Amino acid sequence: TAVATAARRGDAGVLAALLEAGAEAEAPTHEHANPPLFWAAAGDHAACLRLLLNRGVSASCRNAQQDTALLWACQQGAAEAAELLLRASTDELHVANNQRMTPLICAASSGRQDVVDLLLAQRPPPALDAADAHGRTALHFAAASSAEIVESLLAAGANWRIRDAAGLAPLGEAQRQGKAAAAAALQRAWERAERGLAEEEVAASPPPSTDTPRKQRGRKGCMGDRGGGKGGEAAPRADA
């Protein structure tokens, strides 16, 4: 439609004229039923997006795949559009499409730190460990795109142990994609967890014995018969 074409091109003047002339603001296009709002969002065309939202177009509208405009904005790294859509409605922050892709997963796949930060700042925040139809979380996608996003997701509490349908943890995905910085950030998460387990083992150990020195000599140390503690979960191999 003419409205969708203007929204896709970011031509706010033409879009405004069409809407004033009575053109339908929500008329979908093509077989996937993508409304004009989606095209404005994907192109980060803020002026067009405002025109459509001010005309009463719902930020919650869906296409045939159950995408939302926010999903398209996040997939394309369109930060201003994502912010405008969240101001209109935060409900879509927690919505997934037919492939179970969420806005956070889309933002992580785009490699745009600013969009990820925008989503993480929302209250309530998005589900960090939601997985797509292939079992991949936002951290899996970040592992293939951006070490900085990996760090942000880890700091927010994302679970780096989750494996996708192919058996890969985010660390394995980073290694498979040759993302050394992302792999290093995830490896540090494994190492921190192992240190934490070791510290818990020490904290849980019994206090020093008050027996006489003679009896003490007949005992093993608190770690002596345990092989060095629980040991923690080993970091995955490159094919993990």
Side-chain angles (χ1 to χ4, degrees), residues 37-38 41-42 49 58-61 67-74 85 92:
L37 191 72
F38 284 31
L49 204 57
S58 173
S60 302
C61 60
D67 294 333
T68 63
L70 182 60
L71 279 172
W72 278 39
C74 291
L85 290 163
E92 283 60 56

Side-chain angles (χ1 to χ4, degrees), residues 13 34 36 57 67 84 86 88 90 101 109 111 121 125 138 198 216 221:
N34 299 317
V57 176
D67 294 333
L84 284 171
L86 286 168
T90 57
M101 297 287 286
S109 71
Q216 274 188 318

Side-chain angles (χ1 to χ4, degrees), residues 141-153:
F141 283 92
S145 66
S146 167
E148 291 75 18
I149 294 176
V150 166
E151 294 278 14
S152 292
L153 292 172

Side-chain angles (χ1 to χ4, degrees), residues 11-142:
D11 195 331
V14 170
L15 179 59
L18 288 168
L19 295 175
E20 285 297 323
E24 188 179 346
E26 298 185 63
T29 60
H30 304 303
E31 68 274 15
H32 297 305
N34 299 317
L37 191 72
F38 284 31
W39 300 111
D44 210 13
H45 302 312
C48 291
L49 204 57
R50 289 191 188 94
L51 281 169
L52 293 167
L53 291 171
N54 290 339
R55 281 279 174 169
V57 176
S58 173
S60 302
C61 60
R62 308 283 191 95
N63 67 3
Q65 281 73 44
Q66 296 301 299
D67 294 333
T68 63
L70 182 60
L71 279 172
W72 278 39
C74 291
Q75 183 69 60
Q76 298 300 318
E80 189 173 3
E83 185 172 5
L84 284 171
L85 290 163
L86 286 168
R87 287 180 188 170
S89 172
T90 57
D91 292 344
E92 283 60 56
L93 181 62
H94 312 286
V95 167
N97 65 7
N98 286 349
Q99 293 299 310
R100 302 211 306 265
M101 297 287 286
T102 67
L104 185 60
I105 288 174
C106 290
S109 71
S110 77
R112 284 289 297 267
Q113 179 77 56
D114 52 349
V115 180
V116 171
D117 288 345
L118 173 67
L119 300 183
L120 293 178
Q122 303 303 306
R123 294 293 177 268
L128 293 171
D129 299 325
D132 72 359
H134 303 286
R136 299 170 298 188
T137 67
L139 198 53
H140 282 89
F141 283 92

